[in-house]
Amino acid sequence: MTAPSVVGVLGGGRMGAGIAHAFLLAGSRVRVVERDVQSANAAAQRILESIRRSVERDPALDEADLRARLDTGTDIGAFADSDLVVEAVPEDRGLKADALARAEEVMHVASVLASNTSSISIDDLAADRLRPSQFLGLHFFNPVPASALVEIVQGEETNAAAIENAQRWVEALGKTPIVVRDSPGFASSRLGVMLGLEAIRMLEEGVASAADIDAAMTLGYRHPMGPLRTTDIVGLDVRLGIAEELAAQLGDRFTPPALLRELVAEGHLGRKSGRGFYDWTAEQ
């Protein structure tokens, strides 16, 4: 399988950096665009650090080549010759709609535009697209380098060729693609969030400790990671946003627990803030 020659990534935060890293390892030239110079520089450092760790694990990798194929900046025009552009801005409908519109204006007509959304409707985002047939969802999972799955979300107007290209590109990353129809939460978020919310309710009710709730799933059901630790890694704020989106569309069963709202309001967002359901300060 062959990765796209040139990949654009709009947004260089944790997810965008991970996506960029994955395509660099697959042989693509990657162009990351951020909103300002400070953010672009931070994205570059984030990705270069990931490259350094990859080279430490696999000395056969050519660090100079990986670095040479990465460009970061603020000019959206850098996407003009991209085969694929992945939008990876925060999970906010307005932010994503604006980012997608800006990227699409400079892309050539044959390229594929994707949103790395975990819950926002692809058909809703496609409504304002110039070429909805070339638009789809590419839902990567955090952390991107370690995750084996990418969820490809097919909108009503997404053409078959775009889906086939996306499947081929995901396989070139060494990951497994699954194709799902656009629906609230797709497949992964809908199931994962439901399990995570119930685990938070159990903790809230004093059923068991966070570690014991997680152990019930890792040891009892062979999940690689428990739902509360997973929530810490995803980010409590991210999970709250997805839950609110799903509650609006699917009803009360996705209503966020009070404990989740309280922790987010207090700034306890999980690993990225140093504390969530677990203490992550040793990793800061």
Side-chain angles (χ1 to χ4, degrees):
M1 295 297 174
T2 304
S5 296
V6 183
V7 175
V9 180
L10 185 52
R14 183 183 294 272
M15 289 303 298
I19 293 166
H21 179 204
F23 278 107
L24 285 168
L25 292 180
S28 301
R29 173 171 288 279
V30 178
R31 293 169 180 155
V32 179
V33 172
E34 262 289 1
R35 62 185 181 275
D36 54 47
V37 172
Q38 183 178 0
S39 298
N41 290 340
Q45 291 304 310
R46 200 172 285 122
I47 299 164
L48 292 174
E49 176 60 22
S50 295
I51 288 173
R52 185 190 62 77
R53 290 197 298 267
S54 291
V55 171
E56 286 179 353
R57 290 190 296 268
D58 182 3
L61 291 171
D62 186 336
E63 184 171 359
D65 173 64
L66 290 167
R67 286 171 169 265
R69 287 189 280 106
L70 172 67
D71 297 298
T72 58
T74 60
D75 181 11
I76 200 78
F79 294 157
D81 62 347
S82 297
D83 303 295
L84 167 69
V85 172
V86 182
E87 165 273 306
V89 303
E91 192 76 354
D92 176 275
R93 190 184 304 270
L95 286 176
K96 287 187 178 292
D98 177 66
L100 291 165
R102 291 190 295 117
E104 194 175 37
E105 285 181 359
V106 302
M107 293 167 61
H108 60 73
V109 295
S111 58
V112 173
L113 177 62
S115 175
N116 178 52
T117 178
S118 54
S119 63
I120 299 172
S121 168
I122 292 301
D123 286 330
D124 283 357
L125 292 173
D128 297 324
R129 301 283 61 77
L130 299 172
R131 294 177 293 277
S133 63
Q134 294 292 101
F135 177 62
L136 47 78
L138 275 183
H139 178 200
F140 288 83
F141 292 78
N142 186 24
V144 176
S147 174
L149 178 70
V150 178
E151 192 172 36
I152 300 172
V153 186
Q154 182 170 9
E156 288 288 340
E157 296 189 56
T158 310
N159 66 36
I163 295 295
E164 290 168 5
N165 282 333
Q167 289 176 294
R168 185 174 70 252
W169 293 334
V170 168
E171 289 169 357
L173 300 180
K175 301 183 186 299
T176 299
I178 62 170
V179 180
V180 301
R181 180 178 60 84
D182 184 39
S183 62
F186 317 134
S188 58
S189 291
R190 189 164 171 176
L191 290 170
V193 169
M194 178 58 77
L195 178 60
L197 294 179
E198 191 59 29
I200 295 168
R201 292 187 189 100
M202 290 171 64
L203 183 64
E204 193 174 51
E205 294 166 8
V207 172
S209 68
D212 285 348
I213 291 169
D214 278 351
M217 302 311 297
T218 58
L219 301 179
Y221 287 86
R222 298 186 179 180
H223 287 199
M225 189 181 301
L228 296 172
R229 185 170 291 273
T230 298
T231 298
D232 269 9
I233 291 174
V234 169
L236 276 68
D237 53 335
V238 173
R239 183 137 283 183
L240 175 59
I242 296 170
E244 289 174 335
E245 180 81 18
L246 292 177
Q249 298 183 63
L250 296 174
D252 290 345
R253 65 187 187 275
F254 285 98
T255 298
L259 177 59
L260 178 59
R261 292 190 184 280
E262 289 168 9
L263 289 171
V264 171
E266 291 167 1
H268 302 313
L269 309 181
R271 183 171 65 176
K272 61 188 174 185
S273 71
R275 178 186 159 192
F277 298 110
Y278 293 88
D279 185 347
W280 298 88
T281 53
E283 295 191 13
Q284 298 299 300

